[in-house]
Amino acid sequence: MKANPERLKYFEDRANNWVKYRKRRSYYWDSITRYCNYFIHEDSSVLEVGCGSGELLAAVKGKEKLGIDFCKPILDKAEEQFPDIEFELMEAENITLDKKFDIIILSNLVGVIDDIELVFNQLKKVCHDQTRIIVTYYSRMWEPIIRLAEFLHLKKRTPEQNWLSNGDIANLLYLSDFDAYKNNRSMFLPYRIPILSTLLNRFISRLPLLQHLGLNQFVFARPFPKRLTQEEIDQKYSVTVVVPARNESGNIEDAILRTPLMGKYTEFIFVEGNSTDDTWETIQKVAEKYKDTHRIKIMQQDGKGKGDAVRKAYAAAEGDILMILDADLTMPPEDLPKFYEALTKGKGEFINGVRLVYPMEKNAMRTLNSMGNHFFSRFFSWILERPIKDTLCGTKVMFRKDYIKLAKNRKYFGDFDPYGDFDLLFGAYKLNLKIVDLPIKYRERTYGDTNISRFSGGWLLLRMSAFAAAKIKFW
């Protein structure tokens, strides 16, 4: 299918002034570039479909970049401006590339193509299993304002547009076999006015409720995962279960006995952390007792906090899938196969345990803890742009290959989280992974006492929440 000749003529007629126009409107376009760039890493390969004169592609990170566009005069401008970037004359409706890309960007393209579903289907030619697609476009509710701006010559008049909501874009992606797993909106003022633009766009437009009124909408998608049989899954993946333990002597053996074996093999890593009871001695005895039937590694952490213990264990892990099992066993080890299934069947790429769905046993969680968890769940759902009902459930599951990337990017948030939960959640968001909640039955402790202080812990969580908002929402 050929691109619309009338639309091609529209862009050809404006090619000579295109670069100047982009520069005059750079504040608007740069905001899109910055947001896309947040989720792109230095080692990513990037394809922009409908790259125009190449400004966005030149500004984003990436080790390999390619831009395609159907308008030769504008593409010539891109090659003049950015000779180090590869550009090809190609219609979005007929992509003939033989490469696969980590990131594919369609910035303000869906409004000016005749068959969006056809273009989305073309993207499958250049996707691998982990490809991320970023679609940006005007919010539909801004149509009257944009039309007025064109009438007043504040904005260049465009061809007849497809006015699409986030839901429309997500549905078209779904019909093309893509999973639209996240969306966002931002920007109230598309022009640079000192102080006012920063206040409206960087802060106010990103507040809860108000963010739904933003001009720019972003939809993130990934290819639907390939369906594998359970036998194929079990032959493909191995598992590491990390058990951080401080004063949990009475639970160590049960962690082994109650955890089902999963995948090619299940590796256990026990990390003892500054216990005042005989936890370390018990870990050594259990490891010796079950050494012939289980893969077990044991270690003592050098620092403090669960986060430090998890990072130490993850550095030594050999399994393809990393799981955390708190040694208090309030999250039943018998439920770990649910996490294994959700991850290996592609339901998500970061599976977050949730204790706040099913009724709890009477003394499983203290009242103030429960209230705090409900507050933080709403706060972090806003920050992470996904329904996150429970941020502090100890069980979080992801692929080791993704954790390796997360660890490399840890400098963005820093080593600030003694619990480790937020380090993993924030890192998964920055990696643009699909985060999925998985409800579990939360049980009462059968041994020992909680190691978390409600008040000092709550204050620390508030500080980390503010830090996360600054690094994710208001950067």
Side-chain angles (χ1 to χ4, degrees):
M1 178 177 177
K2 288 286 186 180
N4 187 316
E6 292 181 4
R7 289 182 177 171
L8 176 58
K9 187 176 187 305
Y10 167 88
F11 289 106
E12 287 177 338
D13 290 345
R14 288 157 178 78
N16 288 335
N17 295 318
W18 192 262
V19 173
K20 291 181 180 179
Y21 175 76
R22 279 287 300 238
K23 288 180 179 178
R24 288 198 303 270
R25 300 290 182 265
S26 62
Y27 179 79
Y28 166 77
W29 293 106
D30 288 349
S31 72
I32 294 175
T33 302
R34 282 196 303 274
Y35 188 72
C36 292
N37 213 18
Y38 187 91
F39 301 99
I40 302 173
H41 303 284
E42 298 292 348
D43 59 350
S44 298
S45 56
V46 183
L47 169 67
E48 185 181 4
V49 180
C51 64
S53 45
E55 288 84 357
L56 183 151
L57 194 59
V60 298
K61 291 172 284 190
K63 66 179 180 181
E64 179 186 1
K65 304 177 188 179
L66 173 63
I68 65 172
D69 202 280
F70 77 142
C71 180
K72 188 176 187 308
I74 291 181
L75 204 63
D76 289 342
K77 300 292 183 183
E79 292 175 337
E80 289 174 15
Q81 290 191 101
F82 311 109
D84 294 334
I85 297 177
E86 185 180 359
F87 297 96
E88 290 196 30
L89 183 65
M90 191 176 299
E91 296 170 346
E93 294 86 350
N94 184 27
I95 295 176
T96 57
L97 301 171
D98 59 359
K99 301 177 183 178
K100 309 289 185 183
F101 295 86
D102 301 321
I103 305 289
I104 301 175
I105 302 173
L106 292 81
S107 180
N108 286 29
L109 176 68
V110 295
V112 294
I113 50 182
D114 290 329
D115 190 337
I116 300 170
E117 185 182 353
L118 171 63
V119 171
F120 285 165
N121 272 299
Q122 290 291 305
L123 300 183
K124 288 185 282 191
K125 299 177 181 178
V126 287
C127 286
H128 54 67
D129 292 345
Q130 304 301 313
T131 295
R132 289 298 180 271
I133 296 169
I134 306 175
V135 181
T136 84
Y137 189 49
Y138 306 128
S139 170
R140 186 170 191 166
M141 68 177 64
W142 278 69
E143 179 181 2
I145 300 172
I146 291 172
R147 292 301 187 200
L148 178 61
E150 291 178 346
F151 177 76
L152 297 175
H153 300 289
L154 298 174
K155 176 187 176 299
K156 185 185 289 290
R157 186 174 295 277
T158 57
E160 183 180 358
Q161 295 281 304
N162 305 310
W163 289 99
L164 305 164
S165 66
N166 276 341
D168 294 328
I169 295 172
N171 186 57
L172 286 163
L173 284 161
Y174 174 76
L175 292 171
S176 307
D177 296 322
F178 290 105
D179 175 19
Y181 61 92
K182 185 175 69 173
N183 63 73
N184 188 27
R185 290 183 185 174
S186 66
M187 182 169 279
F188 282 168
L189 182 62
Y191 300 99
R192 188 190 306 276
I193 299 177
I195 301 177
L196 182 60
S197 296
T198 299
L199 178 65
L200 289 175
N201 298 329
R202 186 175 174 183
F203 297 102
I204 294 178
S205 75
R206 298 180 181 181
L207 293 174
L209 300 180
L210 292 177
Q211 68 180 6
H212 300 295
L213 305 177
L215 165 62
N216 287 332
Q217 57 185 7
F218 301 85
V219 178
F220 295 82
R222 62 180 188 139
F224 276 114
K226 297 176 181 176
R227 292 189 176 184
L228 301 175
T229 65
Q230 192 62 51
E231 183 179 0
E232 289 172 326
I233 289 171
D234 291 340
Q235 290 175 352
K236 184 175 182 180
Y237 298 112
S238 55
V239 177
T240 293
V241 178
V242 171
V243 188
R246 180 174 181 268
N247 296 331
E248 301 287 0
S249 175
N251 293 323
I252 301 303
E253 187 166 14
D254 275 348
I256 288 282
L257 295 177
R258 291 174 54 190
T259 300
L261 300 181
M262 296 162 280
K264 291 185 293 187
Y265 63 80
T266 300
E267 171 188 57
F268 291 85
I269 302 182
F270 288 90
V271 189
E272 188 278 325
N274 307 295
S275 298
T276 56
D277 67 359
D278 62 341
T279 296
W280 177 238
E281 289 75 15
T282 302
I283 288 174
Q284 294 178 82
K285 291 176 183 177
V286 168
E288 178 65 23
K289 181 176 180 180
Y290 294 98
K291 66 180 182 180
D292 295 329
T293 57
H294 293 73
R295 294 183 180 222
I296 303 175
K297 293 178 182 176
I298 65 173
M299 57 186 67
Q300 291 181 289
Q301 67 182 104
D302 306 310
K304 292 183 179 181
K306 177 185 168 184
D308 175 77
V310 169
R311 289 191 285 273
K312 184 179 181 71
Y314 277 8
E318 297 181 60
D320 301 306
I321 294 169
L322 304 177
M323 298 183 172
I324 303 171
L325 175 66
D326 283 349
D328 59 15
L329 304 187
T330 51
M331 201 301 292
E334 294 84 358
D335 284 350
L336 287 177
K338 295 181 181 180
F339 291 82
Y340 173 77
E341 180 176 359
L343 188 71
T344 57
K345 291 190 175 179
K347 305 299 184 183
E349 295 154 313
F350 185 94
I351 312 301
N352 181 55
V354 177
R355 302 164 294 177
L356 308 176
V357 173
Y358 298 122
M360 298 181 190
E361 293 183 353
K362 184 177 180 181
N363 297 313
M365 185 180 294
R366 292 176 293 190
T367 302
L368 282 177
N369 294 56
S370 180
M371 292 170 61
N373 277 315
H374 281 288
F375 166 77
F376 285 112
S377 75
R378 288 171 173 79
F379 192 56
F380 279 96
S381 293
W382 165 66
I383 291 176
L384 299 176
E385 298 158 7
R386 290 283 301 172
I388 306 295
K389 197 171 182 67
D390 186 1
T391 54
L392 284 177
C393 178
T395 303
K396 292 173 169 56
V397 175
M398 65 190 304
F399 286 111
R400 183 161 59 92
K401 61 181 176 59
D402 288 328
Y403 176 75
I404 291 170
K405 296 177 185 177
L406 185 154
K408 288 180 180 178
N409 283 300
R410 184 169 280 134
K411 62 183 179 181
Y412 180 79
F413 293 105
D415 185 6
F416 69 99
D417 175 17
Y419 303 126
D421 299 278
F422 298 103
D423 173 65
L424 296 176
L425 276 170
F426 300 162
Y429 172 85
K430 188 76 168 64
L431 281 181
N432 210 1
L433 302 181
K434 182 177 181 180
I435 303 172
V436 172
D437 277 352
L438 195 157
I440 55 100
K441 278 275 193 180
Y442 194 55
R443 306 295 186 185
E444 186 177 351
R445 269 181 171 269
T446 58
Y447 174 89
D449 297 311
T450 180
N451 292 310
I452 298 177
S453 166
R454 284 174 286 180
F455 299 105
S456 62
W459 172 240
L460 179 60
L461 293 179
L462 282 172
R463 288 165 50 204
M464 288 194 293
S465 300
F467 176 80
K471 298 291 280 187
I472 292 176
K473 282 294 185 183
F474 303 128
W475 49 274

